[in-house]
Amino acid sequence: MSRKKRQQPNPQQQSIDSVDDIEGKLQQAISFYQVGQLQQAEQICQQILRDFPKHAETLHLLGIIAYQVGENKIATDLITRAIEVDSKQSPFYYSLGNSLRGQGKLEKAIEAYHQAIQIQPNHAEAYNNLGTVFIDQGRIDDAIETYQQAICIQPDHGEAYYNLGNAFHSQTRLEEAVQSYHQAIQIQPNRLEAYNNLGVALIDQGKLEESIQIYQKTLEIQPNCADAYNNLGNVLREQGRLKESIQAYQKTLEIQPNCADAYSNLGIALKEQGRLKESIRAYQKAIYIQAGSAAAHNNLGQILLLLGDFHEGWREYEWRLKCDDINSEKRTFPQPSWDGTNLDDKTILIWAEQGIGDEIMFTSILPNLSHMTEKIIIECDQRLTPLFQRSFPQIQFFSRANPPHPRLLDKNIDYQMPIGGLGQWFRTNEKSFLSGQDSYLHACPKKVLQMKRKYQQLADGKLLVGISWKSTGINQRRASLKSTVLKDWTSILSGKNCFFMSLQYGDVKAEINTFTNQTEIPIYQDKEIDSFQSLDDFAAQVAALDLVISIDNTTVHMAGALGEKVWTLLPYIPDWRWMLEREDTPWYPSMRLFRQSETGDWSRVFAQVRSALEQYMEHSTAEGRQ
């Protein structure tokens, strides 16, 4: 008679008969969870719940496991069941807050974290995660207060210091952000993201060398940290160390070949070096990897416009509005965007964007638009409203406000468009630029006459020449490339038959006084003109002069739009609007361009300008004799 082999019992199918058995099994499950063996932990939890379906600690642990694998709804259900059994456990509410946040149920998550804190007032992690939910809601001040509370409870809470740094950084409270990141690193010396963000904050402070040291420290900790190389490249580029910058971007791409951001940054550095074809390829590679990369599209558009490719350039330039660092306030209007269709008997709202110079330049397209419809409404910078309204009396102008003027939100307006978007419809080639029209803005005739008489009396027969020598744009790197210092102008300002006047906006009194004391060359400043606040007065001042010489800033746009003779001094790789290798520009017929032959070298430019000024003086003198 055969004997049947006795089956060994499966330990995970055995019934649990005592509290000690439950605790033992639960500890076993916790041990598996702590070492990342989630499946084994889950199996034990399920075994416990088969015999004790209302065991709160087990329901909670099973919920945490579900949260770890991204099953937030299941996690919420399990943890809620645990709370129904035992509603006095702070960790239960803390875990519930985590799973609710994972579901995007932020208000309920806040309630859960508050409940956890009410039960356990010193629950630092609950405060920290509550702060993160506030960040998700855009409640930065509340988040800062909450992170600080977490730190008061637990001073060595590296995560809270890191989050606090990010919150301060988002509010541009840079010194506090830097201090918070340093605290986070002191507590967690190998926290790479804290080093990375600290480096960015230092860049924003202009502390480039310190930032480089931080990224180098990051690379000591993690030699293959692609983000550190990419950010290091940005700092080096900001310092003008383009060769090293390109090497850093290339190292980034060796580590992370599909990093669209690194390709886009590489494109910027290559463009500054004048390697335009390589730059285009880098932007195209970034777009191939990440089709929605607004920065890469916008940068590609600008380089194509620089090369005179209006068709493709304008199309890519439209991506500027999606860039995070766009130099203008993003506006939202309820009307549909204009797509170039017929505007007969239609009303269109055009809103100005970017800087004052851009507003002035793109306003040159308004006469073209007026041929399609007489119903045009413009929102522009308040300082330009008087000048624009005088120049285009048939168009209605509103000053930019936040929120916008109620008239601009009228849904009966048929279309809206940012003013830079007009280029794609009206500036498709050079022939499409206005020909035979030297000016489109008109300064106040009375003010011009008054200023001309005043300046001519001061000049005593000398040529009235206005100068502007620096840019104060938001992009510091671009501003520095375009800017000069007064010392560079010495050879020009030494001319005896010119009366030089400052058109430089901002407080430059000390700068002019220092230059004059060192050189004994006077530069006149009209204290009655605030060229930053009153652009209508500034327009009259410019119109009262014989010649304007300036680097690329608002001054040249104003002079060009008024049809005044203006000489513009450009860096080696200029803004896209000036294109390449030409002395004229289709935007402003009265403008002459003087270009650097290599990055940073203004000496040849000023030699050319001095020679041109001498010829201009000779011609003016000859005309005067006739």
Side-chain angles (χ1 to χ4, degrees):
M1 185 175 176
S2 63
R3 181 180 296 173
K4 187 175 181 179
K5 186 176 180 181
R6 183 178 178 182
Q7 297 290 327
Q8 295 295 323
N10 185 335
Q12 293 189 7
Q13 293 178 348
Q14 295 179 20
S15 62
I16 301 172
D17 299 321
S18 68
V19 173
D20 289 341
D21 287 344
I22 294 175
E23 290 303 318
K25 285 291 185 183
L26 182 59
Q27 286 304 316
Q28 188 179 359
I30 291 172
S31 297
F32 278 127
Y33 169 77
Q34 289 173 338
V35 296
Q37 297 184 25
L38 301 186
Q39 187 175 358
Q40 292 89 331
E42 180 184 356
Q43 288 174 348
I44 296 173
C45 287
Q46 295 288 7
Q47 178 193 355
I48 295 171
L49 292 175
R50 273 197 298 271
D51 292 323
F52 295 90
K54 292 187 177 182
H55 192 267
E57 291 285 353
T58 304
L59 287 167
H60 177 232
L61 178 58
L62 195 58
I64 293 175
I65 293 169
Y67 170 73
Q68 288 290 329
V69 297
E71 296 287 352
N72 291 302
K73 187 178 185 306
I74 294 174
T76 299
D77 292 341
L78 288 165
I79 297 167
T80 300
R81 285 168 57 191
I83 291 172
E84 289 171 354
V85 176
D86 186 351
S87 61
K88 299 186 182 299
Q89 296 295 322
S90 177
F92 291 4
Y93 287 101
Y94 169 74
S95 298
L96 179 63
N98 293 342
S99 63
L100 287 167
R101 182 189 175 217
Q103 286 183 276
K105 297 180 178 180
L106 302 185
E107 285 299 332
K108 290 186 176 181
I110 290 171
E111 292 176 11
Y113 288 132
H114 277 307
Q115 191 66 38
I117 292 166
Q118 186 175 341
I119 297 170
Q120 184 182 342
N122 63 345
H123 199 317
E125 285 299 331
Y127 275 109
N128 180 62
N129 287 13
L130 175 59
T132 305
V133 177
F134 285 146
I135 291 290
D136 293 340
Q137 292 185 320
R139 297 164 58 182
I140 310 299
D141 288 334
D142 290 335
I144 288 172
E145 183 179 342
T146 308
Y147 292 138
Q148 289 172 332
Q149 187 65 42
I151 291 165
C152 285
I153 296 167
Q154 184 182 333
D156 63 346
H157 200 310
E159 177 76 16
Y161 272 114
Y162 171 71
N163 290 334
L164 180 61
N166 291 339
F168 280 137
H169 201 168
S170 70
Q171 291 189 328
T172 323
R173 295 165 64 175
L174 298 178
E175 189 57 42
E176 292 163 292
V178 167
Q179 291 173 1
S180 298
Y181 291 137
H182 275 301
Q183 288 285 355
I185 290 168
Q186 187 174 345
I187 296 164
Q188 299 172 313
N190 293 329
R191 190 182 185 100
L192 294 179
E193 61 268 32
Y195 280 101
N196 188 65
N197 290 7
L198 171 58
V200 175
L202 289 167
I203 293 172
D204 293 342
Q205 283 188 311
K207 298 178 179 179
L208 303 186
E209 284 299 331
E210 290 183 43
S211 179
I212 288 175
Q213 293 172 11
I214 290 297
Y215 290 128
Q216 289 172 338
K217 179 65 177 178
T218 307
L219 291 169
E220 289 177 14
I221 298 169
Q222 175 52 267
N224 289 324
C225 182
D227 285 343
Y229 274 113
N230 189 37
N231 287 329
L232 178 60
N234 292 339
V235 186
L236 293 167
R237 190 184 78 232
E238 194 71 19
Q239 289 186 318
R241 296 159 64 179
L242 297 180
K243 184 177 179 181
E244 295 170 84
S245 171
I246 289 170
Q247 290 172 346
Y249 294 137
Q250 290 171 336
K251 186 65 177 179
T252 305
L253 293 166
E254 286 178 19
I255 299 167
Q256 192 175 332
N258 289 326
C259 183
D261 190 43
Y263 272 112
S264 187
N265 290 334
L266 176 61
I268 296 171
L270 290 167
K271 177 186 174 183
E272 281 195 29
Q273 279 196 330
R275 297 159 64 180
L276 302 185
K277 290 183 179 179
E278 293 174 77
S279 175
I280 288 174
R281 286 196 293 270
Y283 292 140
Q284 289 172 335
K285 184 68 174 179
I287 293 167
Y288 176 78
I289 295 168
Q290 185 180 338
S293 174
H297 279 288
N298 178 44
N299 288 336
L300 176 59
Q302 292 191 33
I303 203 170
L304 292 172
L305 290 170
L306 180 69
L307 293 169
D309 185 347
F310 293 104
H311 179 70
E312 287 298 316
W314 288 127
R315 184 172 64 84
E316 296 289 350
Y317 185 66
E318 283 299 289
W319 285 82
R320 73 195 180 283
L321 299 171
K322 298 181 180 180
C323 291
D324 293 332
D325 61 346
I326 182 173
N327 181 23
S328 67
E329 180 183 351
K330 294 186 178 181
R331 314 292 284 163
T332 301
F333 294 97
Q335 305 87 3
S337 296
W338 184 50
D339 60 359
T341 55
N342 193 301
L343 286 174
D344 285 347
D345 202 35
K346 302 291 184 182
T347 303
I348 185 168
L349 163 64
I350 303 297
W351 45 280
E353 51 170 318
Q354 302 182 65
I356 293 292
D358 294 276
E359 292 191 37
I360 292 172
M361 185 186 78
F362 283 119
T363 303
S364 65
I365 302 178
L366 294 184
N368 300 82
L369 185 63
S370 296
H371 292 154
M372 298 187 70
T373 179
E374 295 180 354
K375 299 177 180 179
I376 302 173
I377 302 171
I378 308 288
E379 185 198 51
C380 65
D381 191 291
Q382 180 180 358
R383 295 168 294 173
L384 287 167
T385 303
L387 177 62
F388 282 176
Q389 191 65 75
R390 181 189 306 111
S391 304
F392 301 98
Q394 75 281 13
I395 295 175
Q396 191 174 13
F397 288 86
F398 289 87
S399 296
R400 182 162 53 240
N402 193 11
H405 190 284
R407 172 72 177 97
L408 307 183
L409 302 177
D410 186 351
K411 293 185 179 180
N412 290 322
I413 295 174
D414 298 287
Y415 300 106
Q416 59 83 21
M417 170 171 277
I419 196 166
L422 294 174
Q424 64 184 310
W425 306 113
F426 297 106
R427 295 294 181 263
T428 54
N429 53 51
E430 281 210 38
K431 292 182 180 179
S432 64
F433 286 78
L434 292 177
S435 58
Q437 181 172 332
D438 289 339
S439 65
Y440 54 89
L441 295 187
H442 307 293
C444 173
K446 183 178 179 180
K447 290 181 181 178
V448 174
L449 183 59
Q450 290 174 342
M451 291 186 193
K452 187 180 286 288
R453 287 174 177 170
K454 173 182 174 181
Y455 298 153
Q456 285 177 339
Q457 186 174 3
L458 291 169
D460 192 23
K462 294 180 180 179
L463 194 73
L464 295 173
V465 182
I467 64 167
S468 182
W469 57 92
K470 63 182 178 180
S471 170
T472 56
I474 292 176
N475 186 320
Q476 293 184 355
R477 173 66 178 156
R478 288 300 304 157
S480 66
L481 287 172
K482 294 195 292 184
S483 295
T484 60
V485 293
L486 274 176
K487 185 179 179 181
D488 296 330
W489 292 69
T490 304
S491 62
I492 295 173
L493 300 178
S494 299
K496 302 299 182 183
N497 295 318
C498 295
F499 182 80
F500 291 102
M501 179 185 308
S502 170
L503 298 178
Q504 183 62 52
Y505 43 87
D507 184 4
V508 293
K509 182 179 179 180
E511 194 173 347
I512 290 175
N513 288 341
T514 299
F515 174 78
T516 300
N517 291 336
Q518 291 175 348
T519 63
E520 298 184 352
I521 298 173
I523 301 173
Y524 175 72
Q525 278 188 290
D526 191 338
K527 297 178 181 179
E528 296 179 359
I529 304 297
D530 185 340
S531 57
F532 184 78
Q533 292 297 336
S534 180
L535 289 172
D536 199 42
D537 287 349
F538 182 57
Q541 183 183 33
V542 170
L545 304 179
D546 298 310
L547 173 66
V548 172
I549 308 174
S550 173
I551 60 96
D552 174 14
N553 60 17
T554 299
T555 302
V556 299
H557 290 283
M558 182 67 81
L562 292 166
E564 300 301 315
K565 186 176 291 295
V566 52
W567 296 351
T568 303
L569 318 185
L570 298 176
Y572 178 53
I573 300 297
D575 284 350
W576 58 267
R577 71 200 81 233
W578 308 123
M579 295 188 277
L580 297 171
E581 299 178 354
R582 57 189 297 169
E583 292 185 358
D584 67 331
T585 168
W587 290 101
Y588 304 113
S590 65
M591 183 178 291
R592 180 178 176 183
L593 307 178
F594 295 81
R595 300 173 180 271
Q596 283 184 347
S597 57
E598 59 182 87
T599 301
D601 181 14
W602 287 110
S603 59
R604 184 178 174 185
V605 172
F606 282 104
Q608 291 174 332
V609 172
R610 178 181 172 85
S611 175
L613 186 58
E614 289 173 349
Q615 293 176 16
Y616 182 73
M617 291 296 301
E618 289 176 6
H619 181 70
S620 298
T621 303
E623 284 188 341
R625 293 195 193 102
Q626 291 177 356

